[in-house]
Amino acid sequence: MKWNKYTIETTTAAEDYMSAMLADLGIEGVEIEDNIPLSKEDQADMFIDFLPELPPDDGVSHVSFYLEDDGEDRTELLKQVKEALEDLRKVVDVGSGVITSDQTEDLDWINNWKKFFSSFYIDDILIKPTWEELKPEDADKFLIEIDPGVSFGTGKHETTQLCIRQLLKYIRGNDAYTPENRTPKVLDVGCGSGILSIVALKLGASAVVGTDLDPDCMTSTHENMEVNHLDPSLGTFYVGNLIDDAALQEKVGTEEYDIVVANILADVIIPMAPVIPARLKRGGYFITSGIIDFKENAVKEAIEAAGLTVVEINHQGEWVNITARKPE
């Protein structure tokens, strides 16, 4: 299979913005090339014996994305990319913005990336890829094992970490959810690999329900639940769009959940916000991320317009978490 590779010449300051912009257009799996040296933390997470010698960082970055060469006309999509690129200039220096194209043969992307995913901690939670051996000294740790497969969700991304820390706070750290009282029921919108559902269950959620547009996510989620020795009956997962699918909304239920978590994108959260309050119990929490910082206010306004009260906003890098609460 052949792929058309499109490369945008931009700046290192615009890399995350560019990735978010392309994701908003339905383009995933971007490749970023720059001369920024790896941090010590990044080096610790990668199996590299000798780091490459890079030229001095000149602030230039190349962000590439791939589209299958299947004969389909991509003119309109590329036009949208160029228009979105010009919009980005209003908020960040995108550099020249020149787009070049090339053609490449199919690669084993699904497996090649695994060399860059190794065990790491989020607070006291150890997240380990399924293909890595558990170290003896980690045998008693709070462990989550993940194989994302073709789905999003290793836990490495800032947005996933923001959501996990909020789940820690609002499940483990919430005195209302005790064994003597009740454990929360959680809705995971855009469940991906199932990592947030699994974290919620391991923290003590009574049950999770998940939704995603991609059928492959159902496979990844069920497999990851099995790897983590979780009873399949604790999780129910549906393919569909919660925004406008009335049948899915009915399956998911009304006022069923103590927590709704959504690690998606700002442009999905905004139209989804009006349907969230109906899913939550009174006093329930909406935990969301996937929000690039320049869209923080738009998402906050949409959540408030839906009738929820924003209780906290957290940042990690250029990404934002907004947590809101349904009135009692």
Side-chain angles (χ1 to χ4, degrees), residues 133-317:
E133 289 293 326
L134 183 66
K135 298 175 183 176
E137 60 267 30
D138 291 331
D140 60 346
K141 296 294 192 297
F142 188 113
L143 176 66
I144 305 289
E145 294 192 89
I146 289 293
D147 183 350
V150 296
S151 304
F152 176 82
T154 63
K156 279 282 190 180
H157 199 275
E158 291 94 333
T159 62
T160 312
Q161 294 186 30
L162 284 163
C163 285
I164 289 175
R165 289 193 172 95
Q166 292 303 92
L167 290 173
L168 277 164
K169 179 175 183 176
Y170 288 97
I171 299 179
R172 178 193 284 173
N174 192 328
D175 293 337
Y177 305 140
T178 64
E180 296 77 20
N181 187 352
R182 61 187 174 92
T183 52
K185 185 175 181 181
V186 176
L187 173 62
D188 182 3
V189 184
C191 59
S193 67
I195 185 169
L196 296 180
S197 292
I198 290 165
V199 169
L201 287 170
K202 287 214 163 187
L203 286 172
S206 59
V208 296
V209 173
T211 69
D212 204 288
L213 298 176
D214 187 351
D216 287 333
C217 293
M218 304 299 105
T219 302
S220 295
T221 297
H222 285 297
E223 289 176 350
N224 284 319
M225 283 191 65
E226 182 178 353
V227 165
N228 285 277
H229 311 292
L230 292 168
D231 186 339
S233 68
L234 296 176
T236 305
F237 301 94
Y238 302 106
V239 177
N241 189 340
L242 195 65
I243 295 173
D244 55 12
D245 187 336
L248 178 61
Q249 292 171 12
E250 185 176 349
K251 288 177 184 176
V252 166
T254 302
E255 295 193 343
E256 289 266 342
Y257 303 95
D258 302 278
I259 294 173
V260 174
V261 60
N263 182 27
I264 315 180
L265 291 167
D267 287 350
V268 177
I269 297 166
I270 290 169
M272 186 176 66
V275 307
I276 296 301
R279 316 279 74 84
L280 284 168
K281 296 176 182 176
R282 293 186 180 277
Y285 291 93
F286 180 37
I287 297 170
T288 187
S289 191
I291 307 162
I292 194 73
D293 54 10
F294 67 88
K295 294 194 175 182
E296 175 183 327
N297 286 336
V299 176
K300 179 176 179 288
E301 289 170 4
I303 290 172
E304 291 175 332
L308 302 178
T309 301
V310 172
V311 295
E312 62 177 299
I313 296 175
N314 300 288
H315 298 83
Q316 188 170 340

Side-chain angles (χ1 to χ4, degrees), residues 22 25 33 47 57 90 132 144 155 220 239 259 298:
L22 293 170
L25 294 174
E33 299 173 87
F47 299 107
D57 176 26
K90 301 172 186 175
E132 186 177 290
I144 305 289
S220 295
V239 177
I259 294 173

